[in-house]
Amino acid sequence: MSGILEGKRVLITGVLMESSIAFHAAKLAQEQGAEIILTAFPRPTLTERIARKLPKPAKVIELDVTNDEHLGRLADLVGEELGGLDGVVHSIGFAPQDALGGNFLNTPFESVATAMHVSAFSLKSLTTACLPLMQNGGAVVGLTFDAQYAWPQYDWMGPAKAALEATSRYLARDLGKQNIRCNLVSAGPLASMAAKSIPGFSDLAAVWDTRSPLEWDLKDPEPAGKGIVALLSDWFPKTTGEIVHVDGGLHAIGA
């Protein structure tokens, strides 16, 4: 039996560690039949080392999503490798340290602007850079952390994720006529590279110990990876502008 991504070509960003959601999305995508290409910044060599742990070899391209030159050459580089694209995974987020950890009221705009550019606007930038390769439609899948709420320690990454979620909806609106779907996976907290950059992350993660209906494992990114792969597949042909929660059900619980 062939996999649900058989014959698909997918670009995946954000493979930084073996524990990252993006790594598991890449691994599962290959297992489900996809050809993949990875992007990395600022250390492509790190991603190349991690990529050796995937089931099959995967080329790594340097891509700074805030760099117009990098974005401008992306379609040519990916096209040379894969010919075209059927899916794109956006797993990119960053905020300076003074935008996190309880400093919300004192964060300067420059730091907020950086968080918004890298974490939200980049979804539009990456998607439009890949459009020339998606002539037959496809799927864009990003990662969010439920922006309905003000989370402890998360500070300006919260508004950045809210902007990401809105950006995904507008992309869904504008790209539907090209048969391109744009959806997000809202994952629960995981002990990833991104988590390590958030001061007091353990306080945020502790919420899942008492409120999540399903037991949540901080060390298991595979469920989120499966959510990404499912949305990349043809099993959600008429779903766009959606946020699929892979968070143990916590989003549905009031207290």
Side-chain angles (χ1 to χ4, degrees), residues 9-65:
R9 299 156 299 176
V10 181
L11 179 146
I12 301 177
T13 66
V15 175
L16 296 176
M17 302 171 64
E18 196 172 354
S19 61
S20 67
I21 295 173
F23 174 85
H24 283 265
K27 177 176 178 288
L28 290 163
Q30 286 187 333
E31 290 173 351
Q32 290 299 317
E35 289 184 83
I36 68 169
I37 192 165
L38 308 178
T39 73
F41 188 80
R43 294 173 60 193
T45 53
L46 174 62
T47 298
E48 287 168 355
R49 286 201 299 272
I50 299 300
R52 295 189 191 112
K53 300 181 180 181
L54 291 170
K56 301 175 184 176
K59 185 176 177 63
V60 178
I61 294 174
E62 182 180 27
L63 175 65
D64 174 0
V65 288

Side-chain angles (χ1 to χ4, degrees), residues 103-114:
N103 197 46
F104 186 85
L105 296 178
N106 300 310
T107 303
F109 176 71
E110 292 75 16
S111 295
V112 175
T114 296

